[in-house]
Amino acid sequence: MATTAELDRVSMVVLRYMRGPVFVLIVVYAIGITGMALIPGRDADGNVEYMNLFHSFYFFTYTATTTGFGEIPSEFTDEQRLWAILCLYMGVVAWLYAIGSIFRLVQNPHFLLALREHRFAKKVRRIQHPFYIICGFGDTGSLLARGLSDHWMRAVIIDIDPERIKALGLRDYRVSMPGLCADPANPKHLVDAGVQMPNCRGVVILTVDDEANARIAVMSRLLNPVIHILCRSTTKQHIKHLCSLGHVTIINPFEIFSELISMAITAPRLHNLNACLVHNPRVKLGQPITVPTGNWIICGYGRMGKWLYRQFIRNGIKPVIIDPNAGKVKGAATVINEHANSATLLKAGLVNAVGVVAGTDNDHDNLSILMCVKAIKPDAFTIARQNRHENQIAFDAASANLVLQSSLTTARRVLKHLISPQVQQFVDYLREQGEDICELAVERLKSKIGDKPPHLWHCRINDEEASAASEYLQSGGKLNLGQIRKDPHDLDGLIACIPLTIKRDGQCTMLPGDDAQVMLNDEILFCGTEHSEVILSATVNNAYTLDYLLSGRDKPRGYLFRWFDDRSHTTITQL
């Protein structure tokens, strides 16, 4: 016998709410039909006759439903007429009860919830391509979904806020992204979202509650011990707990932003390239910003302020801290335990400072600090923390040099991981190699894409993602990067992209040249334009295009044309 959990939840709700009306209808029909069959009637000759059960059912059907068809085998006796009256009233009452129950059912919140969950699970089960589960559709989840859509990557979304799921239905994503209004920490909802499906590539947990994120991560790990989990977390205790689950990538936006600031100070070209790779619209490739070193003021010593402080100290900068609750800070030039305003900024030495961080958890306070700095020292470098996405226009008007938007920083870092882990490995490699190698990589990329925004994509050489190239290699052919990057419209030219890394047998080769061999199961990270991704995808998946690029000859495609082509080649060979 199936357990309750195994049965369809919609069917269970329907049965629970409709079993009463259905039982009443059955009883009324049984009584009416039996009575009509037992009451004697008269035929046209006055003989006694009884209705059979079929005629009784036929009569009761059009009577109980008030159809009033009127066909009767013969004229009724008074006893039959009396019973017909009773049948009519019993049938009408029973049907009114049943119809009323149906109306109550379709308005019942439990039924509507079960119906939504059923439809959501059905949509998820139909997904044939790889997909991710996004838990939390706030600012971060929304930005991440947009980024995934731009890269034709699919996702399934769960959020407890009904308004956010309604907003999801209005988005014009390139790919379908089903959403469910439910608690992601409930294992039933994670199963409905496909956490146990083989094509589910990972769970991205992005709610603003670290405790809730930890619960969702634990449930996901229990339901699928091998799935990759990416989890937003900003507190030490939760980060330590998440690390113990294994195969979890922690996303701490404050730590990431402080690393980016450190990168901007010590490696401005790499900071510029990294910003372009994550589609920062304020940055142009090859035009790095310069973060000055000297006297800095940090307004707000919360999570962001502490991370920035560590990076400043690491780079030899001793900032002045303004925060009413900062207490003693080891290594700081001065700590002012007051709120940041014009007076405290002047007291902190704004006149001689090169930069100010407006890093409180209140957007109004941060905007006020930026206005004060602009009024007192307009040429100071400013870094602002933007806590709410809807305040974007105000922060744009404030014209800070760098803005930390926690949701945007988190979404960009997650997107880099989902496109390919090789992206961050490539950035780390350039950080180790120094600015000269980074400049060469930027120049090489600019020579291909010009001023267009760089577009990243990942290509795995196998039957699923590069069928033609995989078949060619399995037949003993040899390929190199220069050959698959040839332009089908100009065999002497290359499409607008460069390979950033090749991953083979767990080892990454950075910035491979055109003569680098391509092998089966290679994972190649490309950077170029969106159009070049389309062309390269056609090359590695279309045997005729690949053959044309390798041989320079357009191979006939039809059987008859191939026969003529083979015959003409045979004739030429014989001559």
Side-chain angles (χ1 to χ4, degrees), residues 29 33-34 36-37 50-62 71 73:
Y29 266 66
I33 292 169
T34 304
M36 189 56 68
Y50 292 91
M51 278 190 183
N52 60 32
L53 290 177
F54 174 71
H55 286 165
S56 298
F57 176 70
Y58 171 66
F59 167 76
F60 194 86
T61 299
Y62 68 68
E71 183 196 35

Side-chain angles (χ1 to χ4, degrees), residues 139 360-363 366 385-389 391 395 404:
D139 290 343
T360 73
D361 58 1
N362 185 300
D363 280 353
N366 293 336
R385 172 181 173 181
Q386 180 184 338
N387 297 284
R388 300 180 69 83
H389 183 66
N391 292 329
F395 277 89
L404 166 63

Side-chain angles (χ1 to χ4, degrees), residues 34-41 49-51 77 79-80 82-84:
T34 304
M36 189 56 68
L38 294 176
I39 296 175
E49 67 171 1
Y50 292 91
M51 278 190 183
T77 61
E79 292 81 2
Q80 287 177 310
L82 179 62
W83 187 248

Side-chain angles (χ1 to χ4, degrees), residues 470-491:
S470 175
E471 184 180 355
Y472 182 77
L473 292 171
Q474 290 180 47
S475 66
K478 292 186 177 179
L479 279 176
N480 62 40
L481 285 174
Q483 289 172 319
I484 65 174
R485 288 175 56 224
K486 279 188 177 179
D487 188 348
H489 304 291
D490 177 14
L491 291 181

Side-chain angles (χ1 to χ4, degrees), residues 201-214:
R201 294 289 176 81
V203 179
V204 184
I205 307 169
L206 299 173
T207 76
V208 295
D209 184 350
D210 283 4
E211 182 67 31
N213 290 348

